[in-house]
Structures are given as C-alpha cells and as structure tokens.
C-alpha cells in the first residue's frame, strides 16, 4: 500500500464508523489506526494508501459523512517521525485488540 496518510477527526464514534466506511468503499485505502478522545466524543481515523486514493477517500468522507469532520488532512510521503507516531498509535490499537479478545472456553 502507498506511502500517504489520511486523517479525519470527527465528533462521535458512530460518525467515525460512518466516515471510515465511506473512505474504505471510496478508494483503495486501509485503516492504520483510530484514536478516541474525550470518552469517544472525538475520534481520529488514520488511513494509508497512494496519495490519490487517500485524498479521494478523505474528501469523500468529509463531504458525505453523517457529521462534518472537525479536521482533515492528507500527508503525502510523511516524515519518518510522523510514521513513528502513527505506528505507535497502531501498536496501541493492536495491543488493545489482543487484550479485548474474549477467552475461549472448552465445551
């Protein structure tokens, strides 16, 4: 997948899921991570792909989501420190997902 990052910050988890669905259906991008702040009242979505795909996805979500984003950005060819912060966010999400997995019980 490409070297560009797209960010949408939007109010509410439901609006964030709607925006993410729009981005993923609009262009060839993948979810890298998402961050919830203020108890989920503010959600940041981060996607990755080619610059044209990321731009199309972010613009489409901004125009069509159930809420207008608080902020949006596309970073083509992000600096290594920017990549490091995004990877940190993604690793926290991955770690959280592993701890949230339900335990399997033998029946």
């Amino acid at each position: 997948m490409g070297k560009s990052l797209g960010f949408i910050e939007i109010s509410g988890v439901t609006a964030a899921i709607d925006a993410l669905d729009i981005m993923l259906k609009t262009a060839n991008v993948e979810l890298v991570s998402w961050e919830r702040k203020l108890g989920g009242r503010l959600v940041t979505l981060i996607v990755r792909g080619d610059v044209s795909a990321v731009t199309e996805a972010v613009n489409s979500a901004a125009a069509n989501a159930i809420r207008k984003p608080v902020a949006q950005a596309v970073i083509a060819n992000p600096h290594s420190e920017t990549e490091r912060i995004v990877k940190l966010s993604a690793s926290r999400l991955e770690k959280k997902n592993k701890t949230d997995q339900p335990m399997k019980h033998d029946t």
Side-chain angles (χ1 to χ4, degrees), residues 27-44:
N28 186 24
V29 296
E30 65 181 359
L31 176 66
V32 175
S33 186
W34 71 309
E35 297 274 343
R36 292 182 298 163
K37 300 296 179 194
L38 304 173
R41 290 182 299 211
L42 196 58
V43 181
T44 303

Side-chain angles (χ1 to χ4, degrees), residues 83-97:
E83 284 283 355
R84 186 179 67 79
I85 289 174
V86 169
K87 286 178 184 174
L88 178 63
S89 173
S91 69
R92 285 194 306 254
L93 178 63
E94 186 176 313
K95 184 177 180 180
K96 183 180 180 332
N97 285 341

Side-chain angles (χ1 to χ4, degrees), residues 1-106:
M1 185 102 351
K3 283 285 233 169
S4 297
L5 296 171
F7 300 83
I8 289 229
E9 192 165 72
I10 198 162
S11 179
V13 174
T14 302
I17 292 170
D18 177 55
L20 176 62
D21 188 61
I22 291 167
M23 287 193 288
L24 295 173
K25 288 177 178 175
T26 298
N28 186 24
V29 296
E30 65 181 359
L31 176 66
V32 175
S33 186
W34 71 309
E35 297 274 343
R36 292 182 298 163
K37 300 296 179 194
L38 304 173
R41 290 182 299 211
L42 196 58
V43 181
T44 303
L45 300 166
I46 306 170
V47 295
R48 178 186 307 280
D50 295 331
V51 68
S52 60
V54 170
T55 301
E56 182 180 4
V58 168
N59 289 343
S60 182
N64 298 305
I66 58 176
R67 284 211 171 129
K68 182 174 172 58
V70 175
Q72 67 190 63
V74 174
I75 302 175
N77 195 26
H79 187 276
S80 61
E81 285 299 305
T82 305
E83 284 283 355
R84 186 179 67 79
I85 289 174
V86 169
K87 286 178 184 174
L88 178 63
S89 173
S91 69
R92 285 194 306 254
L93 178 63
E94 186 176 313
K95 184 177 180 180
K96 183 180 180 332
N97 285 341
K98 285 181 182 176
T99 60
D100 286 349
Q101 293 295 319
M103 295 183 69
K104 293 184 180 183
H105 298 285
D106 292 332

